[in-house]
C-alpha cells in the first residue's frame, strides 16, 4: 500500500509502528513536529507518545509551525508530555496548562523560530517528526497540507521520523516550494518578487541516512472550525470594501489591490468572503493559511493565485477542493513559514495584511494574545511579521464581547502585541478608523467616533476629554485606564452601563 509513497528502496526497512517510533523520543528531548494551523501535522506518533507517557512519564520541549489538529496538544498535555511549547497553539487544555504555569509557552513571531534554531540561539532539535505524502527516490520528504517549519526541522534535526499519511492525496506532490535562506551575515536576497514566484524545490532535501523511522498512517487533518459570516463580520467586510474602493479612487491602489494576507479564524475568513461581492478582480494572496474563502474566491473568478504555508479547510470545502484538486493546483503554492512570513518579502510585495485583535485602544495599540493582560489565548502567530512590514496593516474585531459586558475598544490595552506605530487601519462592525498620518489625539478621535460600540462611546469620550485636560502627547489617566480591566476582572463588566 505504501511502496509507491516510499520511492527509495533502501528506506523500506525503516517502516515501523507508531509506538516503536515514539520510543525513539526520550525524556528531555527537543522535538520539532510538522503542523501549521490544524493542517499537515504528524498524527500517529504524537498519539503513541501520549499513550507511552501514561505508563512511563517523560517530558519534552515541543516546537511546531503553529497549532496542531486532532486534539494532539490536548492529548500531550493530559499525558504530562509537554514541558515547553512554542510558538503557537489553540487548544483549551494546553491553554489552561500554560496559564497555570505547568507548561512553559514561548510566544514567538512565526518567522523567527527556525531563524533562532539555525543560529543556535535556542536549543537544537533532537528529532523531527514530519508528516509526508511521499519520500522521493533521493530520500527527500514531500510534505502534505502544510510546510510550516517542517523543512528546517528536518534539515537541522539529528534524526527524522517520517509519517507517511495515506489519506493525503499524491496530487499534493509538486504543490510545495521549499526554499531555505542562506546564513547571516552573507545571506542573499530572497528572490520572491511576486506571489506566484517559485524559487525552491518541491520536496525537503535531507540526508536519507537521518531517517530513523517511517510510520504509515491514514488519519485525516482536522477540519477548520471557522463559523460562517454573521451580520457583524459582514459589516466589517463592507467597511473594508468601501475603504479599498476609496483607495482605488484616490490612485493609491488598483482594482487588483495588493497581495492579501488574512489571519486565521472566523472574522478574517469572513472579511475575505466579503470580497466576493466587491468590484476587485485578478486578486492575489501572499498569506500563511489558505482557508475556505481562498477557494470561494477562486471559484468566483476573483482570485488569480494564492501563496501560503498551509491549507486549513472545513469538511465541506475540503471534500469539494480535493475532488477536483488539479483545477486549483497550478494557482497554489505552499512555502516554509519563514518565507511566507518573511519581513523582506512582505515589504517588497506590498502586502495588505488583515489580522484579528482581541482588543485595541483609542491610540491604535493592539492586543492579539492576552485576555485581561495575563491569560494567553493562542499566541501572536504571524500577525506581527505582517503588521510591521505591510503596505497596509489592518486589524479587525467585533466592538463588544461577552454579550456586551466587555468593550473591545479600551482606553489602554492590557497587553501590547502591535504598537500604534505599526497599525494603519482599525475596523469593527461599527466602522473603520484610518490612522495613517495622524497624531495620537487625532487617532483617538477617529477610533472613538468610528469603531466603538454605542454602549461604550460616552464612557470613552468622557475618558478622552479628561485625559486631554491633563495633557501629554498621548493623554492618559492611568488609574482610570486600568480600572476598565480591573472592573472586568472583578465584576465581569468594564464600566457601569
Amino acid at each position: 500500500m505504501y511502496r509507491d509513497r516510499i520511492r527509495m528502496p533502501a528506506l523500506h526497512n525503516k517502516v515501523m509502528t507508531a509506538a516503536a517510533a515514539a520510543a525513539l523520543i526520550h525524556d528531555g528531548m527537543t522535538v520539532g513536529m510538522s503542523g501549521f494551523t490544524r493542517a499537515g501535522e504528524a498524527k500517529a506518533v504524537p498519539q503513541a507518545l501520549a499513550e507511552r507517557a501514561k505508563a512511563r512519564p517523560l517530558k519534552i520541549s515541543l516546537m511546531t509551525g503553529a497549532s496542531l489538529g486532532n486534539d494532539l496538544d490536548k492529548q500531550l498535555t493530559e499525558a504530562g508530555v509537554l514541558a515547553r511549547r512554542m510558538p503557537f497553539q489553540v487548544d483549551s487544555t494546553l491553554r489552561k496548562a500554560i496559564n497555570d504555569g505547568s507548561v512553559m509557552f514561548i510566544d514567538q513571531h512565526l518567522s523567527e523560530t527556525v531563524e533562532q534554531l539555525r543560529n543556535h540561539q535556542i536549543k537544537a532539535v533532537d528529532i523531527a517528526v514530519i508528516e509526508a505524502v511521499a519520500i522521493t527516490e533521493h530520500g527527500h520528504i514531500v510534505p502534505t497540507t502544510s510546510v510550516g517549519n517542517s523543512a528546517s526541522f528536518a534539515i537541522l534535526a539529528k534524526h527524522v521520523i517520517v509519517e507517511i499519511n495515506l489519506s493525503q492525496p499524491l496530487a499534493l506532490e509538486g504543490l510545495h516550494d521549499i526554499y531555505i535562506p542562506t546564513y547571516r551575515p552573507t545571506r542573499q536576497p530572497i528572490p520572491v518578487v511576486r506571489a506566484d514566484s517559485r524559487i525552491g524545490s518541491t520536496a525537503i532535501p535531507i540526508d536519507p541516512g537521518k531517517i530513523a523511522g517511517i510510520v504509515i498512517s491514514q488519519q485525516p487533518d482536522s477540519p477548520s472550525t471557522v463559523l460562517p459570516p454573521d451580520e457583524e463580520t459582514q459589516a466589517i467586510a463592507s467597511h473594508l470594501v468601501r475603504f479599498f474602493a476609496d483607495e482605488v479612487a484616490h490612485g493609491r491602489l488598483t482594482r487588483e489591490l495588493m497581495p492579501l494576507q488574512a489571519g486565521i479564524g472566523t472574522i478574517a475568513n469572513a472579511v475575505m468572503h466579503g470580497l466576493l461581492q466587491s468590484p476587485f478582480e485578478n486578486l492575489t494572496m501572499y498569506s500563511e493559511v489558505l482557508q475556505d474563502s481562498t477557494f470561494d474566491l477562486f471559484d468566483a473568478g476573483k482570485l488569480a493565485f494564492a501563496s501560503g504555508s498551509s491549507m486549513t479547510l472545513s469538511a465541506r470545502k475540503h471534500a469539494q477542493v480535493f475532488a477536483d484538486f488539479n483545477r486549483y493546483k497550478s494557482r497554489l503554492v505552499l512555502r516554509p513559514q519563514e518565507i511566507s512570513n518573511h519581513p523582506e518579502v512582505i515589504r517588497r510585495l506590498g502586502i495588505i495584511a488583515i489580522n484579528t485583535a482581541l482588543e485595541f485602544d483609542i491610540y491604535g495599540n493592539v492586543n492579539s494574545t492576552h485576555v485581561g493582560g495575563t491569560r494567553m489565548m493562542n499566541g501572536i502567530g504571524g500577525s506581527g511579521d505582517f503588521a510591521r512590514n505591510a503596505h497596509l496593516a489592518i486589524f479587525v474585531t467585533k466592538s463588544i464581547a461577552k454579550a456586551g459586558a466587555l468593550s473591545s475598544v479600551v482606553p489602554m490595552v492590557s497587553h501590547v502585541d502591535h504598537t500604534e506605530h505599526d497599525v494603519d487601519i482599525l475596523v469593527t462592525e461599527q466602522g473603520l478608523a484610518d490612522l495613517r498620518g495622524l497624531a495620537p489625539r487625532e487617532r483617538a478621535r477617529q477610533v472613538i467616533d468610528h469603531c466603538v460600540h454605542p454602549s461604550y462611546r460616552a464612557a470613552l469620550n468622557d475618558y478622552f476629554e479628561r485625559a486631554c485636560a491633563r495633557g501629554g502627547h498621548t493623554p492618559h489617566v492611568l488609574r482610570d485606564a486600568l480600572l476598565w480591566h480591573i472592573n472586568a476582572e472583578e465584576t465581569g463588566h468594564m464600566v457601569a452601563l
Side-chain angles (χ1 to χ4, degrees):
M1 290 179 63
Y2 57 79
R3 289 183 181 267
D4 62 332
R5 305 280 188 125
I6 306 172
R7 299 173 194 146
M8 188 177 198
L11 292 175
H12 289 172
N13 63 0
K14 295 291 182 76
V15 175
M16 60 181 66
T17 66
L24 300 173
I25 299 172
H26 305 305
D27 184 55
M29 276 188 168
T30 297
V31 180
M33 288 188 183
S34 65
F36 192 106
T37 318
R38 299 166 63 86
E41 76 276 357
K43 302 167 178 71
V45 174
Q47 289 169 339
L49 183 64
E51 284 300 312
R52 173 185 158 211
K54 294 175 183 177
R56 288 167 288 169
L58 80 159
K59 287 191 176 294
I60 64 169
S61 295
L62 177 61
M63 300 179 185
T64 59
S67 55
L68 301 177
N70 288 286
D71 287 333
L72 294 180
D73 273 323
K74 173 183 170 68
Q75 294 177 55
L76 292 168
T77 302
E78 290 178 340
V81 173
L82 299 180
R84 305 177 77 81
R85 180 74 170 86
M86 61 192 297
F88 188 82
Q89 56 77 44
V90 297
D91 182 79
S92 59
T93 300
L94 175 54
R95 184 181 303 131
K96 183 176 183 297
I98 290 167
N99 287 319
D100 69 23
S102 55
V103 174
M104 295 293 104
F105 180 63
I106 298 91
D107 183 24
Q108 282 191 309
H109 298 300
L110 294 187
S111 67
E112 288 190 342
T113 305
V114 295
E115 285 279 26
Q116 292 189 344
L117 278 174
R118 188 180 295 117
N119 292 286
H120 311 291
Q121 294 172 303
I122 55 178
K123 191 176 178 183
V125 173
D126 296 297
I127 193 163
V129 187
I130 309 297
E131 183 180 80
V133 71
I135 300 175
T136 72
E137 294 83 352
H138 301 290
H140 298 172
I141 301 169
V142 181
T144 58
T145 48
S146 72
V147 180
N149 284 327
S150 298
S152 288
F153 287 160
I155 290 166
L156 297 172
K158 302 178 181 98
H159 303 286
V160 180
I161 298 169
V162 180
E163 195 171 298
I164 301 288
N165 191 330
L166 301 181
S167 76
Q168 299 279 23
L170 277 170
L172 289 169
E173 190 167 3
L175 180 67
H176 313 93
D177 187 46
I178 309 300
Y179 177 89
I180 306 299
T182 52
Y183 279 81
R184 297 164 175 160
T186 57
R187 175 175 295 174
Q188 297 299 302
I190 296 170
V192 173
V193 295
R194 293 162 41 106
D196 61 357
S197 293
R198 278 188 168 273
I199 60 174
S201 60
T202 58
I204 301 169
I206 66 165
D207 174 2
K210 295 205 304 182
I211 296 178
I214 301 172
V215 174
I216 309 302
S217 71
Q218 299 193 61
Q219 191 169 343
D221 287 339
S222 295
S224 165
T225 57
V226 298
L227 300 173
D230 58 24
E231 186 176 346
E232 287 85 6
T233 57
Q234 287 175 337
I236 291 170
S238 295
H239 296 317
L240 267 176
V241 168
R242 284 194 293 271
F243 167 75
F244 292 147
D246 190 59
E247 291 293 286
V248 173
H250 284 85
R252 292 188 287 265
L253 290 174
T254 70
R255 288 169 62 89
E256 295 180 358
L257 304 181
M258 292 279 203
L260 299 163
Q261 177 264 337
I264 64 168
T266 296
I267 296 179
N269 189 62
V271 167
M272 296 300 291
H273 265 289
L275 293 171
L276 289 169
Q277 305 303 320
S278 75
F280 312 116
E281 298 177 343
N282 200 33
L283 301 171
T284 58
M285 290 187 69
Y286 192 86
S287 194
E288 306 158 295
V289 184
L290 307 182
Q291 302 183 90
D292 285 17
S293 56
T294 303
F295 295 89
D296 291 335
L297 288 165
F298 275 137
D299 293 340
K302 292 285 188 179
L303 188 64
F305 195 89
S307 169
S309 194
S310 77
M311 293 187 296
T312 303
L313 306 175
S314 67
R316 177 191 60 83
K317 184 57 68 174
H318 185 279
Q320 177 208 318
V321 168
F322 281 93
D324 192 14
F325 188 65
N326 285 331
R327 185 160 70 90
Y328 302 99
K329 186 174 176 179
S330 65
R331 296 179 286 167
L332 292 169
V333 65
L334 295 183
R335 308 181 192 276
Q337 69 194 64
E338 66 174 319
I339 304 301
S340 68
N341 292 40
H342 202 287
E344 172 194 339
V345 179
I346 294 165
R347 182 68 63 93
R348 177 184 297 133
L349 298 185
I351 303 298
I352 296 174
I354 306 169
N355 289 286
T356 305
L358 285 178
E359 64 180 5
F360 55 80
D361 66 30
I362 59 176
Y363 296 113
N365 300 290
V366 173
N367 173 13
S368 296
T369 57
H370 285 75
V371 176
T374 63
R375 297 184 301 282
M376 171 58 68
M377 181 56 95
N378 300 326
I380 194 169
S383 56
D385 294 323
F386 284 92
R388 173 62 61 89
N389 300 286
H391 174 77
L392 286 170
I394 301 168
F395 284 90
V396 298
T397 188
K398 295 184 179 183
S399 64
I400 54 175
K402 301 294 183 184
L406 305 179
S407 174
S408 300
V409 189
V410 293
M412 178 185 287
V413 287
S414 57
H415 174 90
V416 182
D417 291 296
H418 313 283
T419 75
E420 60 189 273
H421 311 291
D422 298 334
V423 178
D424 297 316
I425 309 292
L426 294 171
V427 196
T428 71
E429 81 285 357
Q430 300 297 319
L432 180 148
D434 184 347
L435 308 184
R436 295 174 295 177
L438 301 183
R441 295 182 189 222
E442 296 168 318
R443 289 199 295 268
R445 189 72 274 146
Q446 286 291 310
V447 170
I448 295 170
D449 290 349
H450 296 289
C451 295
V452 177
H453 192 275
S455 299
Y456 287 91
R457 196 166 292 145
L460 277 168
N461 269 319
D462 175 69
Y463 173 84
F464 181 53
E465 289 167 7
R466 289 185 292 108
C468 287
R470 285 195 168 200
H473 175 250
T474 304
H476 271 303
V477 182
L478 291 178
R479 186 185 304 276
D480 290 356
L482 296 176
L483 191 59
W484 284 55
H485 304 292
I486 294 168
N487 286 341
E489 186 176 75
E490 293 181 351
T491 71
H493 295 264
M494 281 188 162
V495 297
L497 302 177

